[in-house]
Amino acid sequence: MAHDSLYAAPPTAEAEPGAGRLASLRGLFGSWDAVIVAALVVAVLVASLTVENFASGRNAQFLLLDLMPLALIALPMTLIVITGEIDLSVASMVGLCSTLMGQLWLSSGLSLELICVLVVLLGAVLGAVNGLFVTGFGLPSLAVTIGTLALYRGLSFVVLGDQAVADFPADWTAAAVRNIPGTSIPVVVVPLLLLAVIFGVVLHATAAGRALYAMGNNDQAATFTGVSVARTKFWLFVVSGAVCGLVGIFWTLRYASARGDNATGLELTVVTAVLLGGVSIFGGRGALLGVLAGVLLLGVLRNALQLADVDANALTIVTGSLLIASVVLPNAVADIRARLHRRRQRHPVAS
């Protein structure tokens, strides 16, 4: 289906190979991805020159650790939003998985390895509940996940109440923040990169990924081409829940604390990063490279402002402003590009 966007369409079979490669290069460097990457580079340079301790290895470690939950959840969220859906319950799933981990460690006598497996399974079940309501009952994902946002957060406090569980093994909590030897890069970045590669290959280099874009553009048209829309969306919500289970484990071990309010408000930051990365809120458009750049840009801005002793309320204002800008700007630029393209078609330049 034709779709105006900031991303270059793949060359047709009739196009000359050289022309196709040239068009792809123009699309890459004229895309929203390139804009976000450039903004990230500028933000890092400015913060390094103007904010004390921003460029230190210690701060780089904390920045990457802070971004881990955001980046992990953004991976499945990207795929969900590309299909035209959304999951606003991610932070509450993280919180519920964290409290279950704490409760099981406190009272079950199970090994921590088995508890981690059970927590990831719980996350998958929570995601399956979202998927069932969205695909099985045909309800809007926005409404469903707002409801489960409240439900799962409430259950988090039912599991642990106001108490916190903090007596996790020291070797586990140390492993969550350990660096790669000789660097300031946390070890947990390695599995994040592996997952990013897997999600990127699925989205951009497989028929399943092309089906996700087709669903975001037109569900009915995708169904006519043989895509199982309901089943695909259901499993995306399951994957989102499982990833939230992983994030719940990391969050608990990093802060050595399982609490009912863990990750509160994280869903707003995740959605902001995904949309800032160029994924259309209406579905059918976006790329994982832009999303990862959006995650880094958002993290760099918040980290630099915190180091500059900017008030926490101002950080919330920045996040909200970026969320609005991420919705308005890509669509405005895409509209301008489409208008210019139509004008060139109506008034071709004589060769």
Side-chain angles (χ1 to χ4, degrees):
M1 178 178 178
H3 198 300
D4 289 331
S5 75
L6 294 174
Y7 302 95
T12 62
E14 294 79 9
E16 295 180 6
R21 286 192 294 270
L22 183 60
S24 296
L25 287 173
R26 281 199 302 265
L28 173 63
F29 293 104
S31 70
W32 186 254
D33 290 2
V35 173
I36 295 301
V37 171
L40 172 62
V41 172
V42 171
V44 170
L45 290 175
V46 171
S48 299
L49 294 172
T50 61
V51 179
E52 187 177 359
N53 295 324
F54 176 83
S56 67
R58 184 76 169 165
N59 184 61
Q61 178 194 9
F62 283 120
L63 172 60
L64 291 172
L65 288 172
D66 285 344
L67 288 180
M68 277 296 299
L70 174 59
L72 281 169
I73 299 174
L75 296 177
M77 182 71 82
T78 299
L79 275 59
I80 289 173
V81 176
I82 283 175
T83 65
E85 306 293 347
I86 198 166
D87 186 354
L88 295 179
S89 68
V90 288
S92 296
M93 287 193 285
V94 171
L96 182 51
C97 289
S98 175
T99 55
L100 177 71
M101 182 178 178
Q103 184 61 44
L104 289 175
W105 177 248
L106 185 67
S107 60
S108 71
L110 298 174
S111 68
L112 202 50
E113 290 86 353
L114 179 56
I115 289 173
C116 288
V117 173
L118 293 176
V119 167
V120 174
L121 290 176
L122 171 66
V125 170
L126 298 177
V129 171
N130 287 336
L132 178 63
F133 279 107
V134 172
T135 64
F137 297 104
L139 300 175
S141 57
L142 178 64
V144 168
T145 56
I146 286 176
T148 53
L149 179 156
L151 173 64
Y152 296 158
R153 183 61 68 183
L155 290 174
S156 301
F157 286 100
V158 170
V159 172
L160 275 185
D162 292 331
Q163 68 174 319
V165 178
D167 61 336
F168 295 99
D171 55 337
W172 282 70
T173 56
V177 297
R178 183 175 295 128
N179 287 344
I180 297 172
T183 74
S184 299
I185 302 174
V187 173
V188 289
V189 170
V190 176
L192 167 63
L193 293 177
L194 291 176
L195 284 174
V197 169
I198 293 171
F199 275 84
V201 169
V202 169
L203 180 61
H204 298 295
T206 67
R210 291 189 291 273
L212 298 183
Y213 287 103
M215 282 184 267
N217 282 315
N218 190 314
D219 268 354
Q220 292 183 341
T223 301
F224 291 147
T225 62
V227 175
S228 179
V229 173
R231 182 184 305 169
T232 302
K233 289 184 177 182
F234 172 81
W235 284 108
L236 286 179
F237 281 102
V238 172
V239 171
S240 177
V243 170
C244 287
L246 290 173
V247 173
I249 295 169
F250 171 75
W251 193 291
T252 303
L253 294 176
R254 188 209 167 177
Y255 296 105
S257 178
R259 297 171 50 91
D261 61 353
N262 277 355
T264 298
L266 183 63
E267 65 281 334
L268 174 63
T269 310
V270 172
V271 172
T272 300
V274 170
L275 299 185
L276 184 63
V279 178
S280 172
I281 190 63
F282 305 109
R285 191 174 77 223
L288 205 58
L289 173 63
V291 170
L292 293 176
V295 167
L296 288 170
L297 176 59
L298 191 58
V300 165
L301 292 175
R302 291 176 63 88
N303 178 260
L305 291 173
Q306 287 172 336
L307 289 176
D309 292 326
V310 174
D311 185 74
N313 292 325
L315 296 179
T316 304
I317 293 172
V318 169
T319 301
S321 300
L322 287 174
L323 178 57
I324 294 172
S326 64
V327 174
V328 173
L329 290 180
N331 288 285
V333 174
D335 183 62
I336 292 171
R337 286 165 61 91
R339 290 173 183 269
L340 292 174
H341 178 68
R342 289 194 293 268
R343 183 176 298 176
R344 284 196 297 268
Q345 287 182 323
R346 288 196 300 266
H347 306 288
V349 178
S351 56

